[in-house]
Amino acid sequence: MNTLKNKKVSSSQGISLLLDLIQKYLDHQILLPSFKNDTYTKHYLMEIIRYKNKIQFILNKTLRSMKKDIKQRLNQTNILFYVVYSFFWEKKSLEKIKKEILPLSLSRQQIQDFQKFYQRLSNFSWEIALKGKTEIEQLSIQKAIPTFFINKLLPVMNLEDIKSNLEKMDIQARIGNFTIRLNSEIDLVEFEKKFYHLNLVRDENIPKIIHIPLKHKAKIITTSFYQESRMTIQDKASIASVFLMDPQPNEKICDLCAAPGMKTRLIAQLSQNKTKIVALDYDLARLKQIIPMMQKTSSKNYHIVHGDGLNPPIREIKGSLFDKILLDAPCTGSGTFSSHPELKWRQNQKFLNQNVFLQRDLIEKAYNMLKPGGILLYSTCSFYPEEGELQINKVLDKFEMEKLPSWISPSYKINKTALSGAGRFFPIIHNTNGFFIAKLKKK
Ligand SMILES: C[S@@+](CC[C@H](N)C(=O)[O-])C[C@H]1O[C@@H](n2cnc3c(N)ncnc32)[C@H](O)[C@@H]1O
């Protein structure tokens, strides 16, 4: 449970802003607000979103036991959400919460009602509340995860591993390590000497990757290395997808879903800025973020293209076909709940289908754009087999699988066999997002 000490949120301005954002989120007026530098509001909002169904469940059960007139007056769901979160996750006292909500120009009656609501929370019993619920429903509430997610994973993962991965994703945002990658020109040993006091741990598998306790993140961000883009903060699984593609000087590489360009920059660096890169994306606002990123590399031979990967503008890809294509495909993001808890509540069959169809068509397009013998590196930050193994299984008549290193977990089994050219990253094993990678060679 989180115990962030937050002074700002207890100021009247801080609490009003937070409550306003909670309400907007609950009303679906915002998907994700821009926080600028307000890390406190961001933290509280993201945590309340992370546990949304659990908070709602506690709230409903508690209200059910209250008198009708009080219930009618307690109609400010945002405050109720805040009170439940403060009580259960932060163990805040009634006095403290009252002090926080007092500046909200509530009537004396409303304050009394919130007080009664708080007192009812103290009597909340999980045993009684969860009576009659199935094991999956209980898990969904207690781990704050849609039943859809659990049901999709049960054919490929046991319940204990689903639970552990979910728990790990919840705490990853607050404790544990984050990962950096140093640019190729930086001497790893020198860097380690300079920052030995930050408890650096070298990655065992990929050069120039270092894991650092999250508590040191603020220090890393203020270093000249970070400010001058001589290092990046990036999930190991994402770095691995480019590392495994192994970009070489003088190749022609397409990054088919490139924005905001973290992997495009890595392609440039790993090829010593000597490969020709076409970086394409559908989303113009996201695509624009690639420009400053690539300007910081010494790569000259790159084209940033706004377009649909299903129908890329011909000019940039005319002539020879590509040696390699990175298809870091749009997906449900079901492996990224740690940094994107809001995605938990978008998981459903329709959302999955939309992504699966788009991925299928993008794979087909990538196949057409590759030279014979060319490499397709397909990845998604998703746990679902539909966005990973099942996509690859459909195209094995067109591609051969390239063997992946043994430090990547095997893929889920399809017809009782793991795919040799595909693998997975799991939060509990690799301390990364949930991630799928396949390396394929065009026949
Ligand atoms: C997983 S993100 C890519 C992240 C990026 N590779 C990076 O590492 O910074 C998927 C991207 O696919 C893009 N996208 C979605 N549909 C697309 C399409 N039809 N054609 C091209 N890009 C598309 C989205 O705009 C999004 O930027």
Side-chain angles (χ1 to χ4, degrees):
M1 295 285 161
N2 178 30
T3 54
L4 185 92
K5 301 277 178 293
N6 188 347
K7 291 204 175 66
K8 270 196 190 163
V9 95
S10 57
S11 74
S12 65
Q13 209 189 358
I15 188 94
S16 303
L17 173 65
L18 175 63
L19 291 173
D20 185 42
L21 290 172
I22 295 174
Q23 196 57 53
K24 281 188 173 144
Y25 177 78
L26 295 174
D27 293 344
H28 306 291
Q29 287 177 31
I30 50 164
L31 192 57
L32 245 195
S34 150
F35 294 103
K36 301 201 173 80
N37 293 325
D38 188 353
T39 49
Y40 289 104
T41 309
K42 176 178 177 178
H43 169 84
Y44 266 87
L45 182 64
M46 295 312 263
E47 289 305 283
I48 286 173
I49 291 174
R50 185 181 304 282
Y51 299 110
K52 186 180 135 196
N53 75 333
K54 188 168 179 173
I55 296 176
Q56 186 79 65
F57 178 78
I58 298 170
L59 180 57
N60 293 347
K61 287 276 174 194
T62 308
L63 280 180
R64 204 172 290 174
S65 67
M66 298 186 80
K67 283 192 186 143
K68 205 173 164 195
D69 57 328
I70 305 182
K71 262 195 284 195
Q72 274 164 355
R73 288 195 302 266
L74 280 175
N75 59 359
Q76 282 157 294
T77 323
N78 52 353
I79 305 183
L80 293 173
F81 257 69
Y82 182 69
V83 174
V84 172
Y85 181 79
S86 300
F87 177 85
F88 275 91
W89 277 260
E90 303 217 298
K91 314 271 178 259
K92 275 190 195 161
S93 67
L94 176 60
E95 282 319 301
K96 192 152 190 211
I97 295 179
K98 256 167 74 178
K99 223 165 132 187
E100 285 177 352
I101 62 174
L102 265 178
L104 296 175
S105 53
L106 298 169
S107 67
R108 184 185 289 242
Q109 179 68 64
Q110 280 174 308
I111 301 272
Q112 277 176 8
D113 290 339
F114 279 115
Q115 187 164 329
K116 283 193 185 124
F117 176 74
Y118 180 97
Q119 280 153 352
R120 281 295 161 102
L121 286 180
S122 337
N123 299 328
F124 185 87
S125 153
W126 278 112
E127 205 184 321
I128 297 172
L130 290 174
K131 225 178 196 162
K133 299 261 177 236
T134 64
E135 192 180 11
I136 289 178
E137 284 166 343
Q138 292 195 21
L139 182 63
S140 162
I141 295 160
Q142 291 201 303
K143 298 285 167 220
I145 196 76
T147 48
F148 176 80
F149 177 92
I150 304 167
N151 286 326
K152 277 286 154 200
L153 287 203
L154 272 177
V156 287
M157 207 187 280
N158 66 49
L159 207 52
E160 273 315 303
D161 285 347
I162 296 177
K163 262 191 222 171
S164 312
N165 276 302
L166 288 171
E167 277 165 8
K168 182 79 196 225
M169 280 198 281
D170 278 347
I171 60 164
Q172 250 170 359
R174 293 192 299 276
I175 50 176
N177 289 332
F178 70 104
T179 304
I180 61 165
R181 184 188 171 275
L182 302 179
N183 287 4
S184 317
E185 72 279 5
I186 305 213
D187 188 291
L188 179 62
V189 178
E190 286 298 314
F191 186 90
E192 283 171 333
K193 272 193 208 151
K194 195 171 164 97
F195 295 106
Y196 72 94
H197 54 288
L198 299 186
N199 316 96
L200 314 182
V201 178
R202 241 186 233 198
D203 189 73
E204 291 173 358
N205 314 120
I206 305 182
K208 304 256 165 130
I209 292 195
I210 301 174
H211 306 284
I212 307 174
L214 210 51
K215 63 181 178 194
H216 296 315
K217 195 166 179 179
K219 287 186 199 131
I220 286 291
I221 286 173
T222 55
T223 61
S224 61
F225 286 90
Y226 183 77
Q227 308 255 328
E228 292 161 14
S229 297
R230 289 184 287 147
M231 68 157 74
T232 49
I233 296 179
Q234 207 171 352
D235 194 75
K236 179 179 171 180
S238 289
I239 300 172
S241 58
V242 181
F243 180 74
L244 292 172
M245 194 173 69
D246 192 22
Q248 294 296 318
N250 306 319
E251 285 178 336
K252 194 176 168 195
I253 297 182
C254 178
D255 189 351
L256 195 55
C257 294
M262 296 294 282
K263 297 189 185 72
T264 320
R265 172 165 65 177
L266 195 50
I267 293 172
Q269 282 184 0
L270 293 182
S271 69
Q272 294 138 43
N273 297 305
K274 285 185 185 139
T275 199
K276 176 174 179 177
I277 305 174
V278 177
L280 182 134
D281 203 280
Y282 192 65
D283 184 325
L284 187 58
R286 277 168 68 89
L287 191 72
K288 282 182 181 163
Q289 298 177 49
I290 304 186
I291 300 167
M293 228 182 266
M294 289 304 283
Q295 281 168 346
K296 283 179 187 139
T297 70
S298 50
S299 172
K300 299 272 176 284
N301 202 1
Y302 63 87
H303 303 272
I304 298 173
V305 183
H306 180 222
D308 184 351
L310 297 177
N311 187 17
I314 298 297
R315 191 165 48 89
E316 281 78 9
I317 62 157
K318 212 164 70 179
S320 59
L321 298 163
F322 289 94
D323 296 295
K324 288 174 181 166
I325 294 181
L326 174 63
L327 174 51
D328 186 32
C331 70
T332 56
S334 62
T336 66
F337 297 155
S338 166
S339 49
H340 295 288
E342 76 284 1
L343 285 178
K344 282 183 180 183
W345 314 116
R346 293 188 64 195
Q347 305 296 312
N348 57 43
Q349 191 63 47
K350 189 173 165 210
F351 186 43
L352 176 59
N353 288 347
Q354 279 167 357
N355 281 292
V356 166
F357 294 143
L358 182 55
Q359 290 154 5
R360 182 200 60 192
D361 293 348
L362 285 166
I363 293 172
E364 173 81 29
K365 189 71 209 173
Y367 172 81
N368 293 332
M369 288 162 62
L370 271 175
K371 282 179 182 171
I375 296 291
L376 171 65
L377 201 303
Y378 172 83
S379 60
T380 52
C381 45
S382 169
F383 279 105
Y384 303 141
E386 288 84 348
E387 300 186 273
E389 291 79 355
L390 295 177
Q391 293 288 24
I392 300 309
N393 204 40
K394 282 183 255 175
V395 292
L396 289 180
D397 55 330
K398 295 177 172 161
F399 292 100
E400 285 163 22
M401 291 193 275
E402 294 274 287
K403 208 166 177 306
L404 296 186
S406 59
W407 50 265
I408 299 179
S409 294
S411 75
Y412 301 140
K413 289 183 177 159
I414 303 294
N415 302 329
K416 299 193 179 148
T417 324
L419 301 173
S420 64
R424 287 201 165 265
F425 288 82
F426 297 101
I428 45 169
I429 299 176
H430 305 277
N431 197 30
T432 57
N433 286 330
F435 204 81
F436 173 82
I437 289 185
K439 187 172 178 183
L440 305 168
K441 190 184 207 171
K442 180 169 172 172
K443 283 183 183 169

